Amino acid sequence: MSTSTIGQTWNTTAYAAHGRFVANMAGGVFELLAPQPREHILDLGCGDGALTERLAATGAIVTGVDASPTMVAAARARGLNVDHQSATALPYEAEFDAVFSNAALHWITDATAVLDGVHRALRPGGRFVAEMGGQGNIAAIRTALQAVLEPFGIDAETAAASFFPSPAHYRHLLEQAGFTVQSLELIPRPTPLAGGADGMAIWLNTFRNGILDLLPAADRALAVERTVALLRPILADLHDEWTADYVRLRFHATR
Ligand code: BEZ
């Protein structure tokens, strides 16, 4: 099943098969949140609910929110309480002790609208703990896609509509929205990809599906092949095992 949100097309089946590592690598930001039993937590951009479920297992009272109807359905199928809302129009008023987000904020270019909504959603003193792609995230992959898609008339960066801010930029946005920044750091996270020699092609077809979908099927296959060839010397090892050049921005801010 697939659905489009702002600039992306999510295929929940592909995501479940190939995107699980995103939730599995969230240990650091989960620890930074330190969820407590009975506190009210909003999981912003909860996706298919894999981490929301882990949050709920700590005894916290968790609400998930996501803009993708198929992701909302997948998360609700786990028995979670999930709202279907855009992150730029959060309807909550001083309801949560914490807002948590993993690997979602970089999909939304209107960061100010998100941060205003998160600030409103928190009780005074509440915390916003999150991790997202930061400056330099998947830089080699983005550069290769930009080069490969240009002859097809596609500006990959514009089509991706991603937001990978620097620490200084995001600190400024948080402070403008009224938060006090407790910690904020950029963390390089080279991430091994599953799938052996097909690892990068699988990643592109899962996480750049929305952009590749702009092409007819034959061109799409060619674009993937060319992107993989450009990236092989940079991101594959001698055994054709792939590593994606992720960079995370992790922060803890309080209202
Ligand atoms: C990320 O988690 O940083 C990410 C994943 C897929 C595409 C772009 C960024």
Side-chain angles (χ1 to χ4, degrees), residues 49-65:
L51 266 180
T52 326
E53 199 167 54
R54 244 183 269 168
L55 285 173
T58 67
I61 300 155
V62 185
T63 302
V65 61

Side-chain angles (χ1 to χ4, degrees), residues 1-15 18 68 70-71 107 138 141 145 149 154 156 159-160 162 200-217 219-221 223-224:
M1 197 162 34
S2 72
T3 187
S4 292
T5 53
I6 322 132
Q8 300 105 38
T9 305
W10 286 115
N11 178 322
T12 45
T13 314
Y15 194 86
H18 306 300
S68 157
T70 51
M71 287 295 184
W107 299 113
I138 57 166
I141 301 175
L145 271 175
L149 295 183
I154 295 172
S162 303
M200 182 51 67
I202 292 170
W203 189 94
L204 290 167
N205 281 313
T206 304
F207 291 107
R208 283 299 180 248
N209 187 44
I211 304 173
L212 294 167
D213 253 0
L214 298 171
L215 296 167
D219 287 348
R220 178 185 170 126
V224 170

Side-chain angles (χ1 to χ4, degrees), residues 8-250:
Q8 300 105 38
T9 305
W10 286 115
N11 178 322
T12 45
T13 314
Y15 194 86
H18 306 300
R20 185 60 57 234
F21 72 92
V22 175
N24 290 344
M25 297 191 82
V29 69
F30 200 94
E31 264 176 41
L32 187 62
L33 175 69
Q36 302 300 309
R38 289 181 301 284
E39 65 175 355
H40 290 254
I41 299 179
L42 180 69
D43 185 1
L44 175 57
C46 67
D48 68 3
L51 266 180
T52 326
E53 199 167 54
R54 244 183 269 168
L55 285 173
T58 67
I61 300 155
V62 185
T63 302
V65 61
D66 205 284
S68 157
T70 51
M71 287 295 184
V72 167
R76 284 181 181 157
R78 294 175 188 267
L80 297 163
N81 175 29
V82 181
D83 293 334
H84 180 213
Q85 293 285 350
S86 163
T88 57
L90 295 174
Y92 315 106
E93 298 282 343
E95 290 170 43
F96 294 99
D97 301 298
V99 176
F100 173 79
S101 183
N102 180 57
L105 297 172
H106 50 249
W107 299 113
I108 308 151
T109 50
D110 190 352
T112 300
V114 177
L115 292 174
D116 287 347
V118 171
H119 194 268
R120 268 196 313 276
L122 285 168
R123 297 186 174 133
R127 63 201 189 282
F128 181 27
V129 175
E131 194 171 286
M132 65 189 290
Q135 185 176 34
N137 192 41
I138 57 166
I141 301 175
R142 285 158 56 202
T143 305
L145 271 175
Q146 187 76 4
V148 167
L149 295 183
E150 195 268 343
F152 294 102
I154 295 172
D155 179 334
E157 282 294 294
T158 305
S162 303
F163 175 57
F164 302 127
S166 70
H169 182 187
Y170 210 74
R171 175 182 290 273
H172 176 71
L173 292 176
L174 282 163
E175 288 173 349
Q176 261 193 334
F179 288 98
T180 302
V181 177
Q182 306 294 341
S183 68
L184 184 148
E185 56 180 333
L186 200 61
I187 307 167
R189 185 186 291 155
T191 301
L193 299 181
D198 293 331
M200 182 51 67
I202 292 170
W203 189 94
L204 290 167
N205 281 313
T206 304
F207 291 107
R208 283 299 180 248
N209 187 44
I211 304 173
L212 294 167
D213 253 0
L214 298 171
L215 296 167
D219 287 348
R220 178 185 170 126
L222 187 63
V224 170
E225 196 181 303
R226 286 182 182 165
T227 308
V228 167
L230 265 184
L231 288 170
R232 183 167 284 109
I234 318 290
L235 297 180
D237 69 9
L238 289 177
H239 305 288
D240 228 7
E241 296 287 339
W242 289 83
T243 298
D245 51 342
Y246 281 96
V247 178
R248 304 286 88 181
L249 186 67
R250 183 188 295 168

